[in-house]
Amino acid sequence: MSQRGTFVRPADLVAGLAAVTGRRLPTITMAARMLLPVARVVQLVQRVTPVHIPVEFEAIYFCRCANRCDDTTTRQELGVVPRDLLVTLADSVRWLVQQGQITDREAGMLATNLDDELQPVGAGELPAARQGWTGR
């Protein structure tokens, strides 16, 4: 069975966030097998630490699994077309700002136009602010 659908690597997801926020979001890539033991220890320490430590075992494990899915049947039988990932990311960032979960600075250029609606973007039609994104 061939797998269809869009698989987005974590690095491409970060690149998409950088594109919609207009911020530089430097990252480094490490093998999940190296990080999982550290994350397990952090998870145990987090239980007794009042301050959140930004290392999540589940997130690292999820990236390690790199699950792919086949959405061919859903697309064909139900006519479902997924939203553009950049639009979804922008909506998520705006919601996080509105909920007070991230700051205007973290939202970057999206914080200045929270009331504007992003229109779905077709393939090959990225606005100039998003031209650097290659996560497709």
Side-chain angles (χ1 to χ4, degrees), residues 3-85:
Q3 298 226 345
R4 306 198 66 139
T6 303
F7 179 79
V8 180
R9 298 176 316 138
D12 293 334
L13 189 61
V14 172
L17 282 169
V20 298
T21 61
R23 295 187 58 219
R24 187 173 165 270
L25 302 173
T27 61
I28 56 172
T29 303
M30 297 179 73
R33 69 178 171 272
M34 291 173 43
L35 294 174
L36 283 170
V38 173
R40 181 64 83 188
V41 171
V42 169
Q43 187 179 39
L44 295 172
V45 171
Q46 184 65 68
R47 293 180 183 176
V48 296
T49 305
V51 177
H52 177 70
I53 304 169
V55 175
E56 306 294 337
F57 178 82
E58 292 84 3
I60 296 168
Y61 179 77
F62 182 77
C63 290
R64 164 79 170 83
C65 291
N67 287 334
R68 289 169 164 74
C69 64
D70 184 355
D71 63 358
T72 304
T73 303
T74 303
R75 287 176 185 242
Q76 291 173 348
E77 292 182 7
L78 301 177
V80 173
V81 178
R83 292 177 74 203
D84 182 280
L85 181 59

